[in-house]
Amino acid sequence: MQLKNELYQLCLNFVEQRIATANEALLQAQEASNDDTKSSAGDKFETGREMAQQDINRNKQLLADAQQQRAILQSLKDIGDTHTARNGSLVITNQGSFYISISAGQLQLEGKTYFAISAVSPIGKLLIGKPVGEQILFNGKTYLIQEIA
């Protein structure tokens, strides 16, 4: 359970960093838009303003996505051990260890590599609902589920 809590915290840190980055980029894009509005004229103004607006919209979407990931993570905070893989499970296989939560990529913890994956990722879909001892085939490799926490 301690290991899952530490992986949860690493994922939360990942999401919080994404939120901070998106907020900063959004602020910069809004400032750029305001500066362009003050100093431009004619067609150049319209082009610059449109590009700034696209930048703002893209950063708003990145922020919304990161906030959604944080909400998903928070819903998994106190999920205990289960007999089958589900959202919030740590699934140990012969080919690697997977924390089913959000797509945060590789996580390093105590010298070991874990993969934070979404339940809707290709491998996540295959793992969900499977018990210890079950095998899945993914990208030509057989994954034997050895432990679920």
Side-chain angles (χ1 to χ4, degrees):
M1 196 62 155
Q2 174 68 20
L3 178 58
K4 255 178 37 173
N5 288 338
E6 290 177 32
L7 290 170
Y8 172 88
Q9 193 59 51
L10 287 174
C11 287
L12 188 59
N13 293 347
F14 171 82
V15 169
E16 294 296 342
Q17 181 61 47
R18 284 191 64 206
I19 289 171
T21 301
N23 274 326
E24 180 63 29
L26 186 57
L27 183 63
Q28 288 176 358
Q30 288 170 335
E31 287 174 358
S33 175
N34 292 342
D35 288 348
D36 197 42
T37 301
K38 293 175 189 168
S39 65
S40 296
D43 289 342
K44 181 182 172 207
F45 166 73
E46 291 302 321
T47 302
R49 191 166 153 185
E50 178 59 28
M51 288 175 65
Q53 188 57 49
Q54 287 176 3
D55 222 17
I56 289 169
N57 292 343
R58 183 176 49 255
N59 288 310
K60 281 183 178 178
Q61 186 60 50
L62 290 172
L63 179 60
D65 291 346
Q67 289 170 332
Q68 182 180 14
Q69 282 189 317
R70 180 172 55 190
I72 290 168
L73 261 181
Q74 289 170 338
S75 74
L76 302 176
K77 176 131 177 71
D78 296 317
I79 301 240
D81 293 352
T82 60
H83 297 290
T84 59
R86 57 171 283 188
N87 233 350
S89 294
L90 173 59
V91 181
I92 312 292
T93 75
N94 62 327
Q95 300 285 344
S97 301
F98 303 91
Y99 179 50
I100 304 174
S101 56
I102 61 166
S103 293
Q106 279 189 4
L107 304 174
Q108 296 295 320
L109 191 59
E110 298 174 4
K112 292 184 181 175
T113 300
Y114 299 87
F115 297 93
I117 62 169
S118 164
V120 296
S121 67
I123 194 164
K125 287 179 184 177
L126 293 172
L127 289 170
I128 293 292
K130 301 291 190 287
V132 171
E134 187 100 10
Q135 293 182 4
I136 62 166
L137 183 62
F138 181 70
N139 283 346
K141 289 184 181 177
T142 300
Y143 291 74
L144 172 64
I145 299 174
Q146 299 171 328
E147 185 182 338
I148 298 173

